[in-house]
C-alpha cells in the first residue's frame, strides 16, 4: 500500500511538467503574441516594441522562456495579469474560496439526492418510480447546465417574485449592501448548487441503480436471504454497502467535471469564483490569468485523482495494487 | 514469427503495392454479407423510443439543411435582418417564435443556428474519430515507445479539465465554425484512443491477425482489413455519444462568448444576452435552450438504442 502511494507520488511531477509543457506550447506556438495589440497601434514605434519585448524576455529562445516561467511557477508565482497588473496568485486567492464553497456544496447535495433515488429505483425496479428516475436522469444529461440555470432564474427568481411568492436571489454570493448573514448566503447558494448538481445526480442515479441491481444478484445476498435475515437488513447491510463503495472512485472522477461545470455556471449566476475569473480573463485576452488558472485547476485535478485511487484501496481491501 | 520472416523473403520480389492490392482483392472475395449490421438494424427498429428519437433528430437535421428555404418561404426574412421597431415581439403569425433584441426573427435564427450547432458537432466528431483511431490504432498495434509516448500524452491531456483547455484555446484564437469544430475535436478524442488501444491490443494477438502477418501482409493492410473492421462498432458507439456531447460543448462555449461569434447565430450565442432580457421576453430565453435540449435528448436516446442493438451483451 505505502509502496503504491510512493510510486504514484513519483508519477506526479512528470504529469505536472507535462501539463505546463502543453499549456506553454499552446500559448507560444500559436500565431500572434501578447504584443500584437501594440503592433497595430500607429503611435507606438517598432523600437519601443523591441524594448518592451526585451524587458518581458520575449526575445529569448523558447526553452529559456519556459524554464524562466517554470522556475517562477514552482515558487508559486503565476505572473502578473496583463489587464489589471495585479499578481495572478492574488486574483486566484480571492476567488478560490467561493468556487470551493460552490463545488463542495454541489458534491454534497448530489450525493444526498442521488444515493436514495438510485437505491430506491433499483429496489423498486420497473415501477413508476424507477421509470421516472430513469427519465429524469436522461433529461439531466440532455439539458445544458447554463440553460437550466437560466430557466431556474426565470421561474424561481423572476416569476415567483412577480407572483408574490417567496423568491430566490439570482446572482452573487450575498445581498448588497446590508445582507451577508449565513441565511442570506445560503439562499444565494441554492440556485447555483442545484444547477451544478443536476448533471452529477443524473450520472450517479444511473450508476448506483446499476450497481445495486448487480449486487442484489450476488450469491452472498441470496445466502443472507436464505439464512432468514430480514429483507431490510439484507438490503441495507449486504447490498447497499457494497453497491455504494465504488462511488468513492466516481466522486473522485467527478471533481474535474465539477470544476468544469463551475466555469460555466459561475458566469450564469455572477458567482465571483475561479470560473467566472477564467471566462472574464479569456474574453479580455488576459493570457497570464488564463494560464495560471489552467495550471492551478489541473493541479487540483491531479491530486484529486491520486486521493481517489488511494481511498478506493482503503475502502475496498480486495483491490490489489500492482 | 520466424516463418513470417521466411515468407517475407519469398515475397520480397513483389513490390509492396502489388501485395497490398492482392490482399485487398482476396479480402473482397472472402468477405461475407454483413449480417451483423442487418441484425443490429432489426433490433434497433424494434425499439420505439429509438425510432422516436431518430425521427426528431432527422427533422432537426432537415431544418438545418433547409434553413435557406425556411427563410425564403416561411419567415420571409434573412437571419440577420434587423428591425428595431419590432424588438421583443411575442409569437405571432409573422414571427412564429417572436423576435429578439434587434427585431430579428427567432425562427429563422434557430434554423440557421441549427446549421452551425449541428455542423460543428458533426465535423468535430469526424475529426475526433480520425485522430482517436489514428492514435489508438498506432498505440495498440505498434506498442513499445509509440504506445508509451502517445498514452502518456493522453494521460496529461486528461488531467487538464476539458472546458478550461477549451477556454484557453478559444481565448487565443478568433474562431469561426470550422476552427471551433477542430478545437473541440482536438480535445475530444482521448477516450476513443484509450478504448481502441486496449481493444486492438487483444485483437492483434488473435489467430487471423497472426495468420495475415505470417503470409506477409503489410501492417497497413492488417490494420485496415483485419483490425479496424473489428472495432467499427466501438467507433459508432463513440460517435453517437460524442455528437450530443459536442453540441453541448459548442453551446456552452458560444454562450460564454468564446465560440461562434455574433452575428452568426448559434443556439449557444443566442442565449448570451439572455439574462439581460429575461424580463422583456421569456421566449427568447426559452427557445434556443429548448432546441439544444431536444436535439441532445433525441441523439442520446438513439445512441443508447444503437449501443444495445450493436452489442446486446452490453444492455442490462
Amino acid at each position: 500500500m505505502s509502496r503504491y502511494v510512493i510510486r504514484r507520488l513519483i508519477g506526479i511531477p512528470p504529469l505536472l511538467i507535462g501539463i505546463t509543457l502543453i499549456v506553454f506550447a499552446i500559448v507560444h506556438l500559436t500565431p500572434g503574441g501578447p504584443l500584437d495589440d501594440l503592433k497595430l497601434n500607429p503611435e507606438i514605434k517598432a523600437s519601443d516594441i523591441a524594448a518592451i519585448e526585451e524587458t518581458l524576455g520575449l526575445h529569448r529562445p523558447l526553452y529559456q522562456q519556459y524554464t524562466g516561467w517554470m522556475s517562477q511557477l514552482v515558487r508559486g508565482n503565476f505572473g502578473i495579469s496583463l489587464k489589471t497588473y495585479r499578481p495572478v496568485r492574488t486574483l486566484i486567492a480571492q476567488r478560490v474560496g467561493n468556487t470551493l464553497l460552490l463545488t463542495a456544496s454541489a458534491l454534497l447535495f448530489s450525493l444526498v439526492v442521488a444515493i436514495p433515488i438510485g437505491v430506491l429505483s433499483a429496489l423498486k425496479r420497473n415501477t413508476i418510480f424507477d421509470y421516472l428516475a430513469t427519465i429524469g436522469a436522461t433529461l439531466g444529461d440532455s439539458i445544458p447546465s447554463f440553460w437550466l440555470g437560466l430557466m431556474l432564474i426565470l421561474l424561481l427568481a423572476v416569476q415567483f417574485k412577480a407572483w408574490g411568492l417567496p423568491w430566490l436571489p439570482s446572482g452573487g454570493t450575498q445581498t448588497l449592501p446590508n445582507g451577508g448573514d449565513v441565511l442570506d448566503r445560503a439562499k444565494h447558494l441554492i440556485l447555483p448548487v442545484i444547477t451544478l448538481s443536476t448533471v452529477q445526480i443524473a450520472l450517479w442515479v444511473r450508476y448506483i441503480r446499476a450497481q445495486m441491481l448487480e449486487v442484489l444478484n450476488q450469491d452472498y445476498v441470496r445466502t443472507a436471504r436464505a439464512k432468514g435475515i430480514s429483507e431490510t437488513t439484507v438490503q441495507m447491510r449486504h447490498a447497499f454497502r457494497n453497491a455504494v463503495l465504488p462511488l468513492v472512485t466516481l466522486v473522485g472522477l467527478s471533481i474535474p467535471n465539477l470544476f468544469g461545470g463551475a466555469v460555466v455556471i459561475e458566469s450564469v449566476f455572477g458567482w465571483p469564483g475561479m470560473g467566472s475569473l477564467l471566462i472574464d480573463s479569456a474574453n479580455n485576452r488576459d493570457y497570464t490569468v488564463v494560464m495560471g488558472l489552467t495550471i492551478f485547476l489541473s493541479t487540483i485535478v491531479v491530486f484529486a485523482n491520486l486521493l481517489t485511487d488511494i481511498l478506493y484501496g482503503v475502502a475496498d481491501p480486495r483491490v490489489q495494487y500492482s | 514469427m520466424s516463418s513470417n520472416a521466411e515468407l517475407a523473403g519469398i515475397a520480397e520480389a513483389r513490390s509492396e503495392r502489388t501485395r497490398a492490392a492482392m490482399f485487398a482483392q482476396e479480402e473482397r472475395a472472402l468477405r461475407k454479407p454483413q449480417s451483423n449490421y442487418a441484425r443490429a438494424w432489426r433490433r434497433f427498429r424494434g425499439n420505439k423510443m429509438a425510432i422516436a428519437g431518430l425521427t426528431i433528430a432527422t427533422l432537426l437535421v432537415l431544418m438545418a439543411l433547409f434553413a435557406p428555404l425556411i427563410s425564403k418561404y416561411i419567415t420571409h426574412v434573412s437571419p440577420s435582418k434587423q428591425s428595431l421597431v419590432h424588438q421583443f415581439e411575442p409569437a405571432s403569425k409573422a414571427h412564429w417564435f417572436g423576435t429578439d433584441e434587434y427585431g430579428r426573427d427567432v425562427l429563422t435564427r434557430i434554423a440557421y443556428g441549427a446549421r452551425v450547432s449541428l455542423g460543428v458537432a458533426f465535423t468535430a466528431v469526424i475529426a475526433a474519430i480520425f485522430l482517436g483511431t489514428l492514435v489508438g490504432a498506432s498505440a495498440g498495434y505498434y506498442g513499445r515507445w509509440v504506445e508509451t509516448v502517445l498514452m502518456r500524452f493522453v494521460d496529461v491531456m486528461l488531467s487538464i479539465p476539458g472546458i478550461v483547455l477549451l477556454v484557453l484555446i478559444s481565448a487565443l484564437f478568433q474562431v469561426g465554425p470550422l476552427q471551433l469544430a477542430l478545437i473541440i475535436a482536438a480535445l475530444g478524442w482521448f477516450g476513443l484512443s484509450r478504448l481502441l488501444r486496449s481493444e486492438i491490443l487483444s485483437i492483434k494477438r488473435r489467430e487471423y491477425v497472426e495468420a495475415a502477418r505470417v503470409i506477409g501482409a503489410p501492417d497497413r493492410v492488417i490494420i485496415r482489413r483485419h483490425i479496424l473492421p473489428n472495432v467499427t462498432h466501438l467507433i459508432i458507439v463513440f460517435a453517437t455519444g460524442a455528437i450530443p456531447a459536442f453540441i453541448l460543448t459548442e453551446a456552452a462555449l458560444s454562450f460564454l462568448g468564446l465560440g461562434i461569434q455574433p452575428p452568426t447565430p448559434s443556439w449557444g450565442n443566442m442565449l448570451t444576452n439572455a439574462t439581460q432580457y429575461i424580463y422583456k421576453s421569456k421566449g427568447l430565453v426559452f427557445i434556443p435552450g429548448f432546441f439544444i435540449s431536444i436535439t441532445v435528448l433525441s441523439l442520446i436516446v438513439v445512441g443508447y438504442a444503437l449501443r444495445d442493438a450493436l452489442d446486446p451483451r452490453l444492455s442490462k
Side-chain angles (χ1 to χ4, degrees), chain A residues 29-53:
Chain A
L29 300 182
T30 50
L35 301 184
D36 276 9
D37 287 353
L38 300 181
K39 284 179 187 155
L40 291 175
N41 189 337
E43 305 273 303
I44 299 175
K45 279 178 285 185
S47 59
D48 291 340
I49 289 175
I52 297 173
E53 268 180 356

Side-chain angles (χ1 to χ4, degrees), chain A residues 87-238:
Chain A
V88 175
R89 185 168 52 179
T90 318
L91 291 174
I92 294 180
Q94 284 171 347
R95 304 290 191 106
V96 69
N98 282 331
T99 297
L100 288 181
L101 176 67
L102 178 63
T103 45
S105 314
L107 185 64
L108 206 66
F109 180 71
S110 308
L111 285 174
V112 168
V113 176
I115 292 177
I117 294 181
V119 169
L120 274 180
S121 161
L123 292 178
K124 298 179 185 293
R125 194 183 181 182
N126 294 335
T127 62
I128 290 182
F129 179 85
D130 184 26
Y131 291 138
L132 285 179
T134 312
I135 292 171
T138 313
L139 279 179
D141 276 340
S142 317
I143 297 176
S145 62
F146 60 88
W147 184 64
L148 178 69
L150 289 170
M151 288 295 105
L152 289 175
I153 292 176
L154 186 61
L155 180 70
L156 295 173
V158 177
Q159 280 300 331
F160 270 39
K161 200 174 183 180
W163 291 332
L165 291 164
W167 49 279
L168 285 165
S170 64
T173 59
Q174 53 181 293
T175 311
L176 297 168
N178 45 16
D181 54 335
V182 178
L183 193 70
D184 182 57
R185 280 166 181 268
K187 264 172 130 180
H188 281 78
L189 257 178
I190 295 175
L191 290 185
V193 165
I194 293 177
T195 311
L196 187 51
S197 305
T198 307
V199 182
Q200 298 301 326
I201 294 174
L203 187 72
W204 289 348
V205 162
R206 221 174 304 113
Y207 182 80
I208 294 165
R209 178 179 177 274
Q211 277 293 318
M212 193 73 184
L213 285 176
E214 199 181 314
V215 171
L216 283 170
N217 273 326
Q218 297 283 321
D219 287 344
Y220 60 80
V221 170
R222 194 180 310 125
T223 311
R225 281 193 183 130
K227 283 200 300 187
I229 298 172
S230 80
E231 188 60 25
T232 328
T233 318
V234 172
Q235 282 168 2
M236 285 303 113
R237 275 198 43 200
H238 296 82

Side-chain angles (χ1 to χ4, degrees), chain A residues 22 142 147 159 260 283 285, chain B residues 157 171 174 256 282 285-286 297:
Chain A
I22 281 169
S142 317
W147 184 64
Q159 280 300 331
N283 278 319
R285 313 263 172 245
Chain B
M157 294 306 278
Q174 274 291 356
L256 294 168
K282 291 179 198 80
V285 186
F286 178 77
L297 181 64

Side-chain angles (χ1 to χ4, degrees), chain A residues 15 18-19 22 26 30 142 144 146-147 150-151 154 158-159 206 260 267-268 279 282-283 285 287 290 294 298 301, chain B residues 156-157 159-160 163-164 167-168 171-174 252 255-258 275 278 282 285-286 289-290 293 296-297 304:
Chain A
L15 202 54
I19 292 169
I22 281 169
I26 289 173
T30 50
S142 317
F146 60 88
W147 184 64
L150 289 170
M151 288 295 105
L154 186 61
V158 177
Q159 280 300 331
R206 221 174 304 113
S267 297
V268 176
I279 299 302
N283 278 319
R285 313 263 172 245
Y287 305 128
V290 177
T294 310
S298 309
V301 170
Chain B
V156 171
M157 294 306 278
S159 41
I160 309 177
I163 184 89
V164 178
V167 167
L168 174 68
L172 290 164
F173 292 103
Q174 274 291 356
F255 168 74
L256 294 168
L258 295 163
T275 33
I278 211 162
K282 291 179 198 80
V285 186
F286 178 77
F290 174 77
S293 305
V296 172
L297 181 64
Y304 285 160

Side-chain angles (χ1 to χ4, degrees), chain B residues 27-28 30-43 224-225 228-230 232-233 236 310:
Chain B
E27 280 294 323
R28 266 196 294 279
L30 286 172
R31 205 196 309 165
K32 289 176 195 157
Q34 293 202 322
S35 57
N36 261 346
Y37 287 101
R39 245 181 295 149
W41 169 239
R42 243 195 334 272
R43 276 193 291 265
R224 223 182 296 152
R225 291 277 160 202
L228 287 185
N230 282 300
T232 314
H233 66 286
I236 294 174
L310 283 173

